[in-house]
Amino acid sequence: MAKLSQDELLEQFSEMTLIELSEFVKAFEEKFDVEAAAPVAVAAAGGAAAGAPAEAEAEKDEFDVILAGAGAKKIQVIKVVRELTSLGLKEAKELVDGAPKPVLEKVDKAAADKAKEALEGAGASVEVK
């Protein structure tokens, strides 16, 4: 079997749905006996325990975009969710119907702001954490 380059792997992952990626991560964790834990959560918990919440906020470089509600223009919100996540129509509709739910997780500040602006433009209510 030929070894895939990093770019080829990323191209393959970009064609997968979030559900397929989640299943892949689980299989990867089992095969290599590792855990894909979020280091930011550990750093934030450590910062709060040390009594320095302002430092934890300053260090935060990954954000979650959470859809709080679809609003009146649900179809427009579903379209934006599909653009942002590459989900299929069914998965995007389920995400919007099940709000509040995360749309994007562990993205940088610019991507989080762009996603929030797009979702709010479609009529949704959004939180960035």
Side-chain angles (χ1 to χ4, degrees):
M1 184 172 147
K3 184 177 178 180
L4 297 174
S5 72
Q6 186 175 8
D7 290 334
E8 292 168 329
L9 283 171
L10 289 173
E11 181 62 32
Q12 290 297 315
F13 290 136
S14 70
E15 295 173 5
M16 297 173 88
T17 66
L18 287 179
I19 294 170
E20 291 170 332
L21 280 172
S22 174
E23 291 169 356
F24 171 77
V25 169
K26 288 176 188 172
F28 187 90
E29 289 174 337
E30 289 173 14
K31 172 135 178 109
F32 295 105
D33 194 28
V34 295
E35 187 175 328
V40 172
V42 174
E55 289 180 12
E57 284 292 291
E59 293 175 9
K60 189 171 182 177
D61 61 351
E62 292 181 337
F63 298 88
D64 294 342
V65 179
I66 299 172
L67 178 67
K73 299 179 182 178
K74 187 171 156 183
I75 294 173
Q76 297 298 342
V77 174
I78 292 170
K79 288 180 181 179
V80 173
V81 167
R82 288 189 69 200
E83 291 171 7
L84 293 171
T85 63
S86 301
L87 288 175
L89 179 60
K90 180 181 176 191
E91 292 88 0
K93 184 181 181 306
E94 288 173 356
L95 189 147
V96 171
D97 287 342
K101 286 210 172 182
V103 176
L104 297 174
E105 296 178 320
K106 298 177 182 73
V107 296
D108 63 16
K109 180 72 172 162
D113 288 342
K114 183 177 177 184
K116 179 180 179 183
E117 183 179 311
L119 286 165
E120 287 178 341
S125 54
V126 182
E127 298 175 17
V128 177
K129 294 185 178 182

